[in-house]
Amino acid sequence: MIIVHPNLQEVEQASALQRRLYRTIRETMRSMAGRICATANWEAKKSLARHIWLDAEHADAIRSRVLELRFPRVDVDLEVDKALIAVLAMLPSTLSDVEFLGGIYQVVKPAVLNAVETYLRQSDPLDDAPSHRVLRVVATEQRGELDEFAAWWSAIPATDRAVAEPWMDWLRDALAEAGGVFALDSSAEILLRPGYSDRPRYAIPLMPARDPRWLPAVTQVPPRPPRTPQEQQVWVAIDHVNELWACEFPAAMIWHHDNMPWLLYRETARWAYDEMRHAMMGERRLLAYGFEIGVDVPMVPDHWVGVSARRGLAAMMFVVHGLEQGGPKWKSMLKDELWKMGDPYSSQDCDYDWADEAGHIRYGQDWLKALYPDTPKSELIRRTQQEVNLWKEWIADKHLSGHHGYDFFMPRIEAKCALMPELPNPEHFQPLGSSAATTSYEPKL
Ligand SMILES: [Fe+2]
Ligand SMILES: [Fe+2]
């Protein structure tokens, strides 16, 4: 009879390894979140938004396990992993999408997956069963992320990929110098290499990047209400697909604010992914109607232009929070109206969107409490109204002055709407808003 001995790994080691894994995934997630708004490629943006949600869930599950394992100081004592964290803080300090994505998906994530797989091999699946359950899920989903990235990466010209190699080389060497993902921290200073280690800390741009395939635009809100049921369908989808701006903002906050409570980061990653899902709902409808996003309809971060570029990033939180408070009512109304008109697909999109929005309102409140702990609630409400009003004035001015950028898009939209099939119950059509001269048809989240 062959006796198989279990793998041996002390609880102290198990918790230290998983704590470092948690910190790696968490800080990598924060860098990915911050870099979403600076990423131009649409496919990459969509992947990043989904992956920060998955990664936040992975970090959370591992963190919970560490808290069970006699190592409760999981969000403090950062000195213990100081060298590692210094390298991870450099992740978004890149000069192109290809450099950034190469660093994340060719260097850091493979190291994370290798660490998870090594842990599963070297630990005892009976004694350490709760870790195994968590890490098996992490391994499967991280592998999925890498597969998704591989398809994107292979479509990049080899010459562009080659430009990113020196950055990836430095990152690989710097991670090793810090001790790697699956070891003790080296406590070493960051690996010096001119042109790489001395890059400034990445700062959130006040103007998010848009895919170079998309045409210039000013406002996403059409300058007049819809006139037909088909236009109504398209107006809703344009509003949805442009929720991209609302994904980029909470994601940016995850990077912009250090040392926030972990739960806030975790929920904000979900928030950002929800908004990207809402954008993808719009993209899916528009594709079904025969529209190309960014070409037939505008794709523009008008909220960033009208708010953050003029009033700073801090003002955006008030505008987002203010607009979101009207979200559930707006989306529940749309759900009913679209269903009655005979468009179950748009109706369902609005139904699930609405389900997300209640959470978003709470996340916004949590951010305001975290950022302004000593400010009275009445003052926060006043500031919210002020910033929302300034935003509404900005977009009303674009529409009234005719500087809305729709001159190119509107004829294309009208032509394509005329080709769309009749809905079963057009008599239920009630145009969103009522006046082209006002913004009574306003974007909601
Ligand atoms: Fe939302
Ligand atoms: Fe939304």
Side-chain angles (χ1 to χ4, degrees), residues 243 246 271 274-275 278 320 324 353 356-358 360-361 445:
E243 289 190 26
W271 182 7
D274 284 350
E275 302 298 2
H278 302 168
V320 169
E324 293 218 298
D353 175 321
D356 296 329
E357 288 305 329
H360 299 181
I361 293 170
L445 294 176

